[in-house]
Structure formats: structure tokens, C-alpha cells
């Protein structure tokens, strides 16, 4: 059983807690993960050799990596491509394009859409539960 949390080792490597060891066990089994900047996701290489670490060493030296905002890989890829175009334009002309700051600001707003949609769904579900509806039926 794998954890969704990502942990950074003192050497700077990243891992996910792997296996069925209970918290409080003497060892923790970790599996290496890689970050994909295009999608903003961490992926586990199932063929990678897992690492066994003493539980006390894990608790004292490994740091939990904060999860980023929810991302849609398509939006993340689009944002990367637009940034590349802006940088390429500036390199070729020697100055940034007119409105480059506006473009970057709008892209940040677009990147926040998945998280905002999740919050709206959560709020709608909470309101429905508060009003006595559960899965479409009134209590």
C-alpha cells in the first residue's frame, strides 16, 4: 500500500512510504518518486528498488514535501508552452512582448480553476447535506 505523501531525504531524493508497515514499526520502506514539471505530478517507478530506513531516522531527518495546488495537466502544459513562447520572443527581440505580465497573470488564474471547481463541489455537497439531502434523497 503506497502513501500519496512525498518525503524528501537529507540527500535531496524523493520517496513515497511503501508497504504495509504500521506506523511505529522499526523500519519504513520507501519507493523513489520523480516529479514531472509538465503535469505537476509525482510518479512512482514500480521497477525501482525500494529503500528501507530506520523509523527513527525517517521521523527525524525526512521532510514531507507540501502538495501543490490541484493541477490539470493540460493547463500546466499550456502554461509551460506559453512561458516558453514569451521567453523565446524576448530572446529574439531583446524585449518582452507587450502585455507579457497580463498573459502571465491570466495563466495563473487559469491554473487555479481546478482547485476552485473542487471547492465549489465541496461547498455544494456541504450545503445539500446541511439542508437534509443525502445522495438526492431528503432525510
Amino acid at each position: 500500500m503506497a502513501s500519496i505523501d512525498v518525503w524528501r531525504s537529507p540527500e535531496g531524493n524523493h520517496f513515497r512510504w511503501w508497504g504495509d508497515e504500521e506506523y511505529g514499526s522499526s523500519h519504513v520502506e520507501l519507493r523513489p518518486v520523480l516529479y514531472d514539471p509538465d503535469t505537476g505530478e509525482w510518479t512512482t517507478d514500480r521497477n525501482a528498488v525500494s529503500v528501507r530506513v530506520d523509523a527513527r531516522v525517517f521521523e527525524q531527518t525526512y521532510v514531507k514535501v507540501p502538495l501543490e495546488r490541484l493541477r490539470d495537466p493540460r493547463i500546466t502544459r499550456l502554461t509551460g508552452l506559453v512561458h516558453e513562447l514569451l521567453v523565446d520572443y524576448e530572446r529574439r527581440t531583446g524585449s518582452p512582448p507587450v502585455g507579457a505580465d497580463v498573459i502571465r497573470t491570466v495563466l495563473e488564474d487559469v491554473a487555479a480553476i481546478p482547485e476552485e471547481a473542487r471547492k465549489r463541489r465541496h461547498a455544494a455537497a456541504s450545503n445539500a447535506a446541511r439542508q437534509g439531502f443525502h445522495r438526492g434523497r431528503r432525510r
Side-chain angles (χ1 to χ4, degrees), residues 2-3 6 20 22 26 41 45 50-51 54-55 66 70 98 101 127:
S3 167
V6 175
D20 293 327
E22 295 180 17
S26 64
E41 296 177 355
D45 181 3
S50 58
V51 176
D54 182 80
L70 295 177
V98 176
D101 292 336
N127 287 338

Side-chain angles (χ1 to χ4, degrees), residues 2-123:
S3 167
I4 62 167
D5 295 330
V6 175
W7 299 87
R8 183 179 303 114
S9 72
E11 297 82 29
N13 299 318
H14 294 91
F15 298 92
R16 278 204 173 117
W17 188 323
W18 197 264
D20 293 327
E21 290 96 357
E22 295 180 17
Y23 191 76
S25 175
S26 64
H27 288 87
V28 175
E29 187 176 346
L30 302 172
R31 218 15 101 82
V33 293
L34 298 172
Y35 181 74
D36 183 352
D38 288 339
T39 63
E41 296 177 355
W42 291 93
T43 56
T44 304
D45 181 3
R46 297 199 183 268
N47 296 323
V49 177
S50 58
V51 176
R52 235 177 128 94
V53 178
D54 182 80
R56 275 187 256 159
V57 172
F58 176 79
E59 291 173 5
Q60 294 171 357
T61 60
Y62 282 66
V63 178
K64 187 175 177 181
V65 176
L67 295 177
E68 295 185 28
R69 294 187 316 194
L70 295 177
R71 290 187 172 191
D72 183 323
R74 299 165 298 180
I75 293 173
T76 304
R77 181 69 180 139
L78 174 65
T79 302
L81 290 171
V82 171
H83 283 298
E84 288 175 24
L85 287 171
L86 293 174
V87 168
D88 186 49
Y89 180 90
E90 187 171 351
R91 188 178 20 209
R92 288 180 187 208
T93 63
S95 64
V98 176
D101 292 336
V102 173
I103 293 170
R104 286 187 175 102
T105 302
V106 170
L107 282 173
E108 288 177 13
D109 292 343
V110 169
I113 289 172
E115 187 172 352
E116 291 171 3
R118 183 192 62 78
K119 286 179 182 177
R120 273 190 241 117
R121 285 191 306 272
H122 179 71

